[in-house]
Amino acid sequence: MIIKAFLFDLDGVLTDTSELHFLAWKRLAEEEGILFTREDNEALRGVSRRESLNLLLKGRQVSEEQAYEMMERKNGYYVELVRQMTPANLLPGAREMIEEIRHLGLKQAIVSSSKNAWLVLERLQIGELFDAVIDGNARARSKPHPDLFILAAQAVGVPLQNCLVVEDAQAGVEAAHAAGMKALGLGPRERVGAAELVFPSLESHTAREVLAFFEKL
Ligand code: BG6
Ligand code: MG
């Protein structure tokens, strides 16, 4: 397979916002008298805001209005935390890899389920390194559906089979495969083992090494 574009998930791949999501959901849970632990938070990785709320509520019934209000409240807490982020919040190896891809003249896009993706990119000061940003504001089904990745391939003008997805969530790897793309998984095999190549993180890895691996597939 020849890679012509890298499609990067954002949260958990280029920066670790999962702790900030956790703190914001925990604050909401405490206000609502719901127990919410770090382990509970793991199930929310890569999952949409609405689905995250459903998991947090653990079967507790709420009206649509209440659900909307809770999501808004949590998002307010989350945005407050994101505003404190700086470029130092980029994960090790992230900047090196995206600069290398840019240097090689390949396309790259951000493909995130988050409606806050642009805010996070601004805080990290890396927005201008990407050819396209497809986020949770796109009118599309979220991961594990392939829609966001297909939109990104169209946006960068690269055929689906020449796009490589970089993901930290199981739902993201599933979405890549559903789009007919291959994936580089970041994190434990229990989570991203379905990806064709798995690294613990981007640290100490190069884009050239990834290109060479996928060329043989
Ligand atoms: C994903 C995160 O990128 O975006 C999830 O991994 C999050 O944890 C989802 O729930 C939606 O994010 P937001 O910022 O729109 O609430
Ligand atoms: Mg992610």
Side-chain angles (χ1 to χ4, degrees):
M1 170 217 180
I2 304 293
I3 299 173
K4 294 184 179 158
F6 281 76
L7 307 184
F8 285 95
D9 173 49
L10 178 61
D11 297 316
V13 166
L14 299 180
T15 185
D16 202 359
T17 42
S18 107
E19 181 64 17
L20 308 186
H21 278 295
F22 169 66
L23 295 171
W25 282 123
K26 186 157 176 55
R27 188 163 162 194
L28 174 79
E30 273 166 8
E31 287 166 356
E32 296 299 321
I34 299 169
L35 184 69
F36 184 67
T37 64
R38 273 212 161 70
E39 292 75 66
D40 293 332
N41 190 56
E42 269 305 297
L44 274 52
R45 194 177 278 267
V47 167
S48 73
R49 195 182 298 178
R50 182 61 211 239
E51 184 56 21
S52 298
L53 177 67
N54 290 347
L55 291 169
L56 179 122
L57 289 172
K58 296 175 182 155
R60 182 192 285 218
Q61 295 299 315
V62 297
S63 69
E64 267 315 290
E65 260 162 50
Q66 284 171 313
Y68 182 80
E69 185 280 321
M70 285 180 192
M71 287 190 288
E72 284 289 291
R73 194 164 8 129
K74 178 267 171 178
N75 194 53
Y77 301 152
Y78 177 66
V79 167
E80 232 173 77
L81 296 168
V82 169
R83 288 199 193 284
Q84 294 162 35
M85 287 174 75
T86 71
N89 290 102
L90 270 166
L91 281 169
R95 179 174 286 280
E96 290 83 348
M97 175 111 20
I98 55 184
E99 281 177 352
E100 185 189 358
I101 293 167
R102 191 97 186 149
H103 200 73
L104 289 168
L106 300 171
K107 299 282 184 195
Q108 57 187 347
I110 290 290
V111 185
S112 170
S113 306
S114 172
K115 292 189 166 77
N116 295 300
W118 264 115
L119 176 64
V120 172
L121 290 171
E122 264 167 39
R123 298 305 309 164
L124 297 172
Q125 294 177 22
I126 54 169
E128 71 287 350
L129 293 170
F130 294 90
D131 300 290
V133 175
I134 306 294
D135 65 11
N137 297 301
R139 288 185 163 270
R141 296 174 299 173
S142 54
K143 304 168 192 176
H145 293 290
D147 307 27
L148 295 174
F149 289 119
I150 294 171
L151 285 175
Q154 287 166 351
V156 297
V158 170
L160 302 180
Q161 67 270 21
N162 296 114
C163 293
L164 180 76
V165 166
V166 188
E167 264 288 351
D168 71 309
Q170 189 181 336
V173 174
E174 283 172 22
H177 289 163
M181 299 173 182
K182 292 197 166 50
L184 162 60
L186 301 181
R189 288 203 167 265
E190 308 86 73
R191 205 168 73 206
V192 289
E196 284 72 17
L197 179 61
V198 176
F199 292 158
S201 76
L202 291 175
E203 189 169 18
S204 321
H205 291 290
T206 64
R208 278 188 187 79
E209 169 192 357
V210 176
L211 294 172
F213 176 88
F214 281 94
E215 227 166 73
K216 292 192 226 104
L217 290 194

